[in-house]
Amino acid sequence: MAAEQNIEQQVGSLVLQAEVSSVSPLPYPVPNADEEWDLPYGFARVYYAEGFRGVRRPVVMADGFNLGPSDLTAFYAGLDRDHSLITKMRQRGRTVILVGFQDRTASILRNAETAQAAIMRTIAEQLGDDRLAVGGFSMGGLVTRYALARMEYQRMDHRTALYFSYDTPHRGAVIPIGIQAFAHFIPTLPGQQNDFARQIDSPAAREMLFRHYDSDTGTVQEDPLRTEFLRRLQEVGGWPRIPRLIGVANGTGDGTGVAVRPGEMALKSTGAVVFPGTTFFTQATGDGVTVAELKRLLPPASKTVTTDGLPELDGAPGGTLDSYGIIAKALEEKGGKTDLRHPTVCFVPSVSAVAVRDIGNQDDLYVKIDGLAPDESELDDFICSSETTAHTAITADLCEWLLDRLPN
């Protein structure tokens, strides 16, 4: 039985990764940076426009959430592999500055200091007086949003003409509550790392998640760190007011989401050695809704995880994550067997990515954004994907839309 316990402990090494951060840099040919900058709590790589030397017409882009430090080689590859976003920017005469963080799970407030330093360094280094485009992908959009708003609040000139966000959870992100609870259900020995629980319980995750599972109390609520982050964001005005604000959603705007019915089995561990019988269910509305039945071998334990008052989050229109698929893969890699029905669910609802309405309300969560008045969004302009795509996936229509709106 000790071997079975060790196998279950090893599942704690899994992490949930988004499209951009999970792309391997190989064999994609990522060029050497023209400059590398050390920044407070982070770093940046600078890629000059093709045929030019020096920083001109700069675009500053911040990395998103994951465990550990940013991998800017993987970040470049993820942005450029499918539709050459960075290459097209450089071909159009723009310098691209990729901003990374020493710890991507650290508070958004701390990593905003890295973004602010990158903006100020860009201003100091640039040739000419072109105004900046500044934004980020997923969490990077929140980091840069706060950094720009705080700079304005402090009367600092950020010289930014355009702020952009790419599938950023302005209204919050969603990881199924059953999965959050499972992260803490994985057994560990004293001093042993559980990367999955570290990721779910990290400051940045708690600031971004619409609802967080408290492993100490078993309750589901807005985490106090999120409450404080939202308060600090409003304290500096909520948004930067000087630049034009635009956003991209990987989910659709027609009210169509992932083909996931509420209350169905999403995943079950059917083997005999890795969390046998553990079952996850898709989120349904109502109170006392069972979202997971967790079971483990050693130390023997079982737990029923329920929610109250949540909307049908898993099937909502939005950028997706292979949340249950990642769990299933981890179980199978340790010798388990699974019955996987719904590998992919909503991660960043479309209404969150384009800052419209409230993801806690069922009708708002599934609203047809395309039919709303433009002024319902806090952004000046936005686009939703023509079809449901993975969170932060670089698609042709979203890529070209963003490129066409960069400042002249």
Side-chain angles (χ1 to χ4, degrees), residues 172-370:
V174 178
I175 293 175
I177 296 301
I179 289 180
Q180 293 187 45
F182 178 66
H184 297 280
F185 191 72
I186 298 168
T188 56
L189 296 173
Q192 184 181 31
Q193 292 276 10
N194 179 340
D195 288 341
F196 191 19
R198 285 177 52 221
Q199 183 187 37
I200 295 295
D201 257 5
S202 67
R206 292 160 64 189
E207 289 168 346
M208 288 188 290
L209 286 172
F210 165 66
R211 290 293 180 264
H212 183 259
Y213 177 83
D214 186 324
S215 61
D216 292 329
T217 64
T219 57
V220 179
Q221 61 184 358
E222 179 177 283
D223 191 271
L225 285 184
R226 176 165 177 77
T227 304
E228 175 62 11
F229 167 67
L230 294 176
R231 186 194 70 78
R232 294 281 296 273
L233 186 60
Q234 288 305 310
E235 187 177 71
V236 296
W239 296 85
R241 300 301 177 186
I242 295 171
R244 181 172 174 78
L245 312 176
I246 68 172
V248 166
N250 280 110
T252 69
D254 62 6
T256 303
V258 190
V260 173
R261 291 174 59 87
E264 289 189 343
M265 188 184 83
L267 167 66
K268 182 173 184 177
S269 177
T270 58
V273 294
V274 187
F275 301 99
T278 287
T279 309
F280 300 92
F281 302 93
T282 58
Q283 183 67 58
T285 58
D287 294 338
V289 173
T290 297
V291 292
E293 295 282 0
L294 306 180
K295 301 176 182 180
R296 71 182 183 213
L297 294 174
L298 285 176
S302 63
K303 176 182 290 189
T304 299
V305 183
T306 62
T307 62
D308 296 327
L310 294 185
E312 297 166 5
L313 294 161
D314 290 338
T320 62
L321 188 66
D322 290 337
S323 301
Y324 293 112
I326 292 170
I327 302 296
K329 181 180 179 182
L331 297 178
E332 291 169 0
E333 286 177 345
K334 304 308 177 186
K337 297 180 180 180
T338 64
D339 182 356
L340 177 62
R341 306 284 180 88
H342 296 293
T344 303
V345 292
C346 177
F347 179 50
V348 175
S350 295
V351 293
S352 180
V354 302
V356 173
R357 302 199 179 183
D358 178 12
I359 70 174
N361 179 280
Q362 177 74 10
D363 291 337
D364 287 347
L365 182 63
Y366 284 81
V367 71
K368 295 182 179 180
I369 298 170
D370 294 341

Side-chain angles (χ1 to χ4, degrees), residues 19-89:
E19 180 79 9
V20 167
S21 63
S22 62
V23 173
S24 169
L26 300 175
Y28 191 81
V30 175
N32 293 327
D34 294 295
E35 297 183 33
E36 296 191 12
W37 299 342
D38 288 326
L39 304 169
Y41 307 117
F43 41 87
R45 288 184 183 175
V46 181
Y47 299 89
Y48 298 152
E50 290 189 5
F52 292 91
R53 301 294 299 171
V55 176
R56 62 187 304 278
R57 303 179 70 202
V59 182
V60 179
M61 302 195 291
D63 192 16
F65 175 80
N66 207 336
L67 276 182
S70 293
D71 181 342
L72 294 185
T73 301
F75 189 31
Y76 189 115
L79 296 177
D80 215 53
R81 178 190 300 274
D82 293 329
H83 294 286
S84 305
L85 179 60
I86 295 178
T87 296
K88 289 176 180 178
M89 287 180 178

Side-chain angles (χ1 to χ4, degrees), residues 375-397:
D375 61 4
E376 283 216 34
S377 172
E378 293 182 282
L379 300 168
D380 296 313
D381 196 7
F382 63 81
I383 184 175
C384 294
S385 177
S386 58
E387 59 184 6
T388 298
T389 53
H391 173 58
T392 66
I394 308 300
T395 66
D397 56 340

